[in-house]
Amino acid sequence: MSTFNRLFVLAAACSLAFSCDKVNKLSDQTSIDSFIVTAASSGVKVKSVEIILSDNPDDNRIVITTDATNTDYPYSVLVEATFSGAEKIFYIPTLSGSESQEWDFMSPLTFTYGQTYRFVLIAESGLVNTYTISLSDNATGGGDYLEELFQIPNSDFEQWINTNTNKVNLNPTSIEGNNYWCTANNYFVQGTLPASGPNGLCAQMTTKKVDFVYRTIAAGTTFTGNFSSNVNLDNPRQMTFFGSHFIKRPTSMTFRMSYKAGEQLQKVENGNFVNLSGKDRGQAWVQLLYYSGEGEMEYHKDPAANIKVVGSGELVINDTNGWVEATIDIAYTDQTTIPNYIAIVFTSSIRGDYFEGAPGSVLMIDDVRLNYE
């Protein structure tokens, strides 16, 4: 090999090694160096701005403390921010927003009552750091970070899709890959539908007798997680995948409900509808879970590897005289572990996962709220 060729090969190898070295050293660091409110709506005074960083890249916070009251909403703030180590920055208008857009901090943030905002910094390596902007103010119940941010989206059940079709479902707007609320509806039975509640729409769950493709008793169900449309009569629990991402420890769960049991408790046995003694009841339960496995958690309420129930609570629901408010206390058997999933389930028949229930049992749920003390 000639001297020129040797030098060419050596130069190419050095260039390749240098390029690889650069790739291996892409930084995953981003940071907010300052975040200043430069203007606010007339009459609103900003008292402080606090940047609260977390080891969890999805849990960084910016809390703006103002003297705002309920009557000041909606109001706007304009911010001036400096940041370092970010290749891109995206702004997400609200927690339920699905569209991101590039943001230069020049657009004002207009807060409605209890609203939060998010933006993400994308590092050179592609790592995403999420910051949530929330308010702490003098509004009754509004704006506080724990009270308003760590709720399950669409817990007032106002958002639905494909209404008046056989694909009706709760709005599956995703946040960081979560669908949150889901129903057990499929193309041949719609057990959960929107209905008029005490404050707008609510989730109405009805136990139904199905004698179409399959002969079964189908309870209406609303839960956090996902549902499989593949019917499994041998092990019906395998159809429901309970749990959505969540990282806090609420002390209780409050909701509004109305329940009326159907007239005759039934099940399917040897292909026939069989009457049972007793009366149908509804059920609500909540579990805070810690999953230590790889990939997404698969949980059907049965004990499973790498899944630990950190805290739980449940309520057996009997007939009510119209709408009532109920609270489920959450008892923690583990006082230190931070959960990473939450499973919330409402059903019109307590043994619906065994295809037992009274056709016509109706459970209506609205305004689900997680409480923090």
Side-chain angles (χ1 to χ4, degrees):
M1 182 181 293
S2 67
T3 301
F4 174 79
N5 286 339
R6 290 192 183 95
L7 290 174
F8 178 80
V9 171
L10 180 61
C14 290
S15 175
L16 181 61
F18 178 71
S19 298
C20 291
D21 186 61
K22 284 184 65 180
V23 170
N24 290 336
K25 291 185 178 180
L26 290 179
S27 173
D28 60 4
Q29 297 300 309
T30 62
S31 64
I32 289 289
D33 299 322
S34 66
F35 193 93
I36 302 170
V37 176
T38 59
S41 295
S42 177
V44 175
K45 180 180 179 181
V46 175
K47 297 180 177 180
S48 65
V49 177
E50 185 178 10
I51 301 174
I52 305 173
L53 302 180
S54 170
D55 292 334
N56 183 343
D58 293 329
D59 194 27
N60 300 301
R61 297 189 277 143
I62 296 175
V63 180
I64 302 173
T65 301
T66 75
D67 63 352
T69 65
N70 296 72
T71 58
D72 292 314
Y73 285 97
Y75 67 86
S76 300
V77 297
L78 189 62
V79 302
E80 182 178 288
T82 59
F83 55 91
S84 58
E87 292 291 300
K88 288 184 178 181
I89 178 169
F90 288 90
Y91 160 64
I92 304 174
T94 70
L95 272 178
S96 59
S98 59
E99 297 295 327
S100 300
Q101 62 190 44
E102 291 193 43
W103 191 35
D104 57 5
F105 291 103
M106 296 301 292
S107 302
L109 303 176
T110 299
F111 288 89
T112 57
Y113 183 81
Q115 185 178 10
T116 57
Y117 286 82
R118 292 189 303 163
F119 67 90
V120 297
L121 301 181
I122 303 178
E124 186 182 32
S125 65
L127 180 71
V128 172
N129 284 286
T130 302
Y131 293 78
T132 300
I133 308 172
S134 62
L135 299 178
S136 177
D137 52 39
N138 294 324
T140 304
D144 180 77
Y145 179 71
L146 281 178
E147 291 293 326
E148 297 302 331
L149 177 59
F150 286 109
Q151 301 296 326
I152 306 300
N154 197 20
S155 287
D156 55 4
F157 305 114
E158 296 297 320
Q159 301 173 42
W160 297 78
I161 59 172
N162 302 321
T163 53
N164 301 316
T165 75
N166 63 2
K167 296 182 179 180
V168 61
N169 219 316
L170 283 160
N171 190 338
T173 300
S174 62
I175 299 175
E176 298 170 4
N178 291 290
N179 286 335
Y180 287 104
W181 292 118
C182 184
T183 75
N185 290 350
N186 53 39
Y187 73 94
F188 63 89
V189 59
Q190 290 78 51
T192 302
L193 298 172
S196 295
N199 184 25
L201 296 178
C202 70
Q204 176 178 284
M205 289 150 274
T206 304
T207 300
K208 295 185 175 183
K209 178 184 290 187
V210 180
D211 195 1
F212 179 49
V213 178
Y214 302 95
R215 176 168 286 180
T216 187
I217 300 292
T221 306
T222 299
F223 61 97
T224 57
N226 293 282
F227 181 70
S228 172
S229 59
N230 297 320
V231 176
N232 187 336
L233 296 178
D234 295 325
N235 192 350
R237 280 191 177 183
Q238 297 299 309
M239 298 166 63
T240 50
F241 295 75
F242 296 123
S244 295
H245 291 286
F246 197 78
I247 57 171
K248 290 296 177 182
R249 294 167 61 102
T251 56
S252 64
M253 181 178 73
T254 299
F255 52 93
R256 298 181 184 183
M257 68 174 184
S258 173
Y259 185 71
K260 177 63 177 177
E263 292 184 3
Q264 179 61 59
L265 194 62
Q266 292 184 317
K267 69 175 181 177
V268 172
E269 190 174 271
N270 298 322
N272 297 309
F273 292 108
V274 177
N275 291 342
L276 301 172
S277 61
K279 190 173 183 179
D280 203 4
R281 298 176 295 171
Q283 186 185 40
W285 57 268
V286 55
Q287 290 184 346
L288 281 302
L289 308 165
Y290 177 72
Y291 174 57
S292 58
E294 299 293 329
E296 286 297 310
M297 180 183 73
E298 180 175 339
Y299 181 56
H300 306 286
K301 201 182 180 183
D302 298 317
N306 302 317
I307 299 176
K308 179 179 183 180
V309 179
V310 177
S312 63
E314 67 174 292
L315 176 68
V316 175
I317 302 172
N318 295 301
D319 284 355
T320 65
N321 184 16
W323 284 92
V324 298
E325 186 174 271
T327 296
I328 298 177
D329 292 327
I330 300 174
Y332 286 90
T333 55
D334 184 318
Q335 303 302 321
T336 58
T337 299
I338 301 299
N340 49 21
Y341 282 83
I342 187 170
I344 301 173
V345 178
F346 299 98
T347 180
S348 55
S349 293
I350 192 170
R351 286 183 57 82
D353 52 352
Y354 295 101
F355 299 136
E356 295 181 13
S361 292
V362 176
L363 173 63
M364 303 174 77
I365 295 293
D366 203 1
D367 298 330
V368 178
R369 185 170 186 83
L370 299 170
N371 304 310
Y372 302 87
E373 296 179 357

